[in-house]
Amino acid sequence: MDTTLRDGEQTTGVSFREGEKLSVAKVLLEDVKVDRIEIASARVSEGEFKGTRRVMSWAAEKGFLEKVEVLGFVDDRVSLQWIADAGGKVINLLCKGSYKHVTEQLRKTPEQHIADIKKVLKNAEEMGILVNIYLEDWSNGMRTSKDYVHQMIVALKDENVERIMLPDTLGILDPDETYTFCREMIEHYPDVDFDFHAHNDYDLAIANVFHAIKAGIRCIHTTVNGLGERAGNAPLSSVIATVKDHLKMKTNVNEQQLNKVSKLVESFSGIRIPTNKPLIGEFVFTQCSGIHADGDSKNNLYFNDLLPERFGRTRQYALGKTSGKANIKKNLEELGIELDAKALAKVTQRIIELADDKETITNEDLPYIVADVFENHLHEHNEQKVRVVNFSVSYTMGLRPVANVAIEIDNKIYEEFGDGDGQYDAFVSSLQKIYKRLGKPFPKLVDYVVSIPPGGRTDALVETVITWKGNREFKTKGLDLDQNAAAIKATIRMLNVIENEFKSGLVDKLMNHTS
């Protein structure tokens, strides 16, 4: 039973709109195929009522009404009427599962509380509403007032109740306690259908779910992405994988749809999925180590049972300074790019250099890096006669951008200061002053194109392609994290082209000698 739309909505700052509730409900029941969903708390707000009514209307058309549940309270007919007016057919009745709660919060005796519950049960039967019972604070009840817990179950197990739900409301249990307490329930009441509802305050929700199932519980409550109050609930995806792989049991859930619903809920809730969240995090099917990629290419040596395809994901190989040639080769193969050993080594070295400055090199960056390496390769036979010693470009609002540039030509350093319409223009202005002083020609910039990989990442690599014109046109490229730096690299490549052609006596064919 997934309670993302009820208990998950108790995450601080999360409130699903009507349409969002309906969208998540549809995906959970039709695509993911969970058995039941809990979508709301009765009496909360007018918006909650409208959202519930909209989901119930859809569920009625699809024959899902008995799969859609609403939390209600021991309040005679008030919650029941709220649910009935919304079109619902199932109430999850919130009762007290510990002596402390019943006596200190309700200020009633156990007998009075049981009598109030039975009144609601009678009303529900008359209204045609099915009832499940939450024993709120059951885990504390089992620790401190076990006789009370048994008193409650004995009083209710033969009533018109479908399921009794055992919540670890404050997330206090450890796996051993979970097994012991759940086993006690199963052994004492073999004819009762119990659910277990875990909270993750000690990061033990999945471990507790595992032991609850081992104890004999056959229905678990989850939320998508582990949403929920405080530290959240047991994540749907982790529960499904644990049930299948470790307990060797079956569910009705379609694993391949888990990533879809996780992304949907991430979008609607505004709560980002941690990148290392098991099964659904961005990086959990990404190998960073080149050793792992090498092992995978030699018979999947670093695979486990959590194959990404099971969950609608794909395995990826990170590009960074620890990647190695094996990771890079796998990414290139995915893009349909083949490189010989020498070129692959050069691309690997370039990625390592970039990764020192950029946290993540993406698959989308890769074609740009390859192109940059080949651009370098084209000019390798040319002596690098011009290099940037250092430069500074700045922009101050209301003032023209300025640049201070020092370059080395034939082992001599030249420095100039210039301004321009933009930071790159100021840089070029500085270069032109140097070249004018030296009596050297400087080509005209006729086109300037900036590209970044698709995806809208603000940390993407920038490729700048500049077209220059003298007596002929030619292009140079630059690649960097910064647009200005990429353009400057392209410009320095241009200067080396003309310096080497000048050296070869070809400069007159390349350039106009007019300013």
Side-chain angles (χ1 to χ4, degrees):
M1 190 276 273
D2 188 88
T3 182
T4 302
L5 297 174
R6 197 278 299 174
D7 211 0
E9 198 179 34
Q10 291 180 204
T11 307
T12 302
V14 174
S15 179
F16 297 112
R17 299 181 179 90
E18 288 179 44
E20 292 171 344
K21 280 211 174 196
L22 179 59
S23 295
V24 173
K26 285 180 176 181
V27 172
L28 283 170
L29 288 175
E30 291 190 314
D31 298 337
V32 183
K33 299 188 185 302
V34 298
D35 300 294
R36 299 148 48 210
I37 57 174
E38 187 178 43
I39 67 164
S41 297
R43 300 166 32 194
V44 167
S45 69
E46 182 62 23
E48 187 84 330
F49 178 78
K50 289 178 179 178
T52 302
R53 184 169 58 188
R54 190 166 176 183
V55 174
M56 292 300 182
S57 177
W58 167 80
E61 293 177 5
K62 294 291 184 177
F64 289 156
L65 272 181
E66 292 190 4
K67 294 175 176 282
V68 182
E69 304 170 4
V70 175
L71 181 76
F73 307 96
V74 182
D75 54 13
D76 200 351
R77 301 179 74 94
V78 180
S79 290
L80 289 170
Q81 193 60 55
W82 192 96
I83 293 169
D85 291 344
K89 288 293 182 183
V90 184
I91 185 173
N92 291 339
L93 190 61
L94 191 66
C95 307
K96 296 302 182 182
S98 69
Y99 186 77
K100 190 173 184 179
H101 267 219
V102 74
T103 56
E104 296 185 20
Q105 188 174 45
L106 297 184
R107 301 189 182 279
K108 292 188 175 184
T109 65
E111 291 75 19
Q112 288 173 321
H113 187 41
I114 290 168
D116 291 341
I117 294 169
K118 288 186 176 181
K119 186 183 297 184
V120 175
L121 295 177
K122 184 174 182 296
N123 292 335
E125 187 172 9
E126 292 174 358
M127 298 171 71
I129 294 177
L130 301 175
V131 181
N132 302 313
I133 285 180
Y134 267 118
L135 290 180
E136 186 185 18
D137 203 35
W138 167 83
S139 49
N140 262 320
M142 290 298 287
R143 277 185 175 182
T144 63
S145 52
K146 193 176 290 188
D147 288 346
Y148 167 78
V149 174
H150 283 282
Q151 180 184 359
M152 288 288 290
I153 296 176
V154 168
L156 299 173
K157 67 181 180 68
D158 296 322
E159 295 291 326
N160 188 31
V161 172
E162 302 294 316
R163 311 187 67 85
I164 294 180
M165 307 193 288
L166 310 174
D168 181 14
T169 303
L170 299 178
I172 62 170
L173 295 181
D174 63 39
D176 291 336
E177 283 180 304
T178 300
Y179 180 88
T180 300
F181 293 162
C182 288
R183 191 67 196 157
E184 184 172 332
M185 297 291 98
I186 297 292
E187 289 179 344
H188 278 75
Y189 312 105
D191 296 329
V192 174
D193 290 324
F194 289 107
D195 294 3
F196 179 67
H197 180 110
H199 277 266
N200 203 35
D201 294 72
Y202 285 94
D203 208 15
L204 290 172
I206 288 297
N208 289 342
V209 163
F210 178 83
H211 283 77
I213 296 172
K214 286 187 73 173
I217 298 293
R218 288 298 174 264
C219 183
I220 299 298
H221 293 190
T222 67
T223 59
V224 177
N225 302 343
L227 292 184
E229 200 166 18
R230 305 184 312 277
N233 296 30
L236 171 64
S237 50
S238 298
V239 169
I240 296 307
T242 298
V243 167
K244 181 174 181 178
D245 293 358
H246 289 281
L247 293 163
K248 310 301 180 186
M249 299 170 73
K250 295 180 179 179
T251 69
N252 294 324
V253 169
N254 181 354
E255 287 182 332
Q256 288 193 327
Q257 297 294 320
L258 291 174
N259 190 55
K260 174 182 177 179
V261 74
S262 290
K263 293 298 183 185
L264 184 69
V265 170
E266 179 184 45
S267 175
F268 289 164
S269 67
I271 304 296
R272 295 297 298 270
I273 302 170
T275 56
N276 63 341
K277 185 85 168 174
L279 303 176
I280 55 175
E282 181 182 358
F283 296 154
V284 297
F285 293 117
T286 300
Q287 300 280 33
C288 286
S289 170
I291 294 173
H292 292 179
D294 180 64
D296 289 348
S297 68
K298 295 174 179 175
N299 198 22
N300 299 334
L301 299 181
Y302 290 89
F303 281 22
N304 59 19
D305 289 340
L306 296 174
L307 298 175
E309 293 77 14
R310 284 175 52 185
F311 310 101
R313 304 283 302 276
T314 57
R315 190 174 303 280
Q316 297 179 332
Y317 294 89
L319 297 168
K321 55 188 174 183
T322 64
S323 301
K325 287 184 286 187
N327 267 26
I328 294 163
K329 186 177 180 182
K330 280 188 171 289
N331 280 277
L332 288 168
E333 288 171 353
E334 189 175 312
L335 294 168
I337 299 172
E338 292 186 20
L339 298 179
D340 60 30
K342 186 177 180 181
L344 180 60
K346 290 179 179 179
V347 170
T348 301
Q349 184 57 39
R350 184 72 175 115
I351 287 173
I352 290 169
E353 292 168 3
L354 287 166
D356 280 331
D357 298 317
K358 186 178 190 289
E359 183 178 337
T360 303
I361 305 295
T362 68
N363 195 267
E364 290 79 12
D365 290 326
L366 196 51
Y368 291 74
I369 297 170
V370 173
D372 186 58
V373 169
F374 279 122
E375 177 81 2
N376 271 329
H377 179 69
L378 289 174
H379 301 296
E380 276 182 352
H381 67 282
N382 292 328
E383 182 183 354
Q384 297 302 297
K385 297 172 67 65
V386 182
R387 71 178 186 89
V388 174
V389 177
N390 51 53
F391 69 89
S392 171
V393 294
S394 63
Y395 170 77
T396 303
M397 190 175 73
L399 300 176
R400 285 174 64 78
V402 294
N404 193 18
V405 178
I407 62 171
E408 182 182 297
I409 305 175
D410 286 334
N411 300 317
K412 293 182 180 179
I413 295 176
Y414 304 90
E415 184 175 347
E416 269 295 352
F417 175 88
D419 61 2
D421 293 330
Q423 293 177 68
Y424 175 66
D425 189 41
F427 176 85
V428 171
S429 175
S430 301
L431 288 181
Q432 288 173 331
K433 287 183 179 182
I434 293 172
Y435 270 65
K436 185 175 182 180
R437 189 201 321 165
L438 296 174
K440 290 177 176 285
F442 198 94
K444 182 181 179 182
L445 188 156
V446 294
D447 195 23
Y448 179 107
V449 178
V450 176
S451 301
I452 64 171
R457 295 174 65 100
T458 57
D459 64 347
L461 291 172
V462 179
E463 180 187 69
T464 303
V465 181
I466 302 178
T467 304
W468 310 93
K469 186 174 182 180
N471 286 333
R472 70 173 177 89
E473 286 189 357
F474 66 103
K475 296 180 180 180
T476 56
K477 295 180 182 179
L479 185 75
D480 201 90
L481 303 173
D482 178 80
Q483 179 179 326
N484 283 320
I488 288 167
K489 286 181 178 179
T491 305
I492 297 303
R493 281 179 177 168
M494 174 273 294
L495 294 176
N496 276 289
V497 168
I498 64 172
E499 285 291 331
N500 280 285
E501 293 197 0
F502 180 82
K503 182 180 179 182
S504 302
L506 299 175
V507 71
D508 289 330
K509 295 180 181 179
L510 177 67
M511 299 297 303
N512 277 324
H513 291 287
T514 57
S515 171

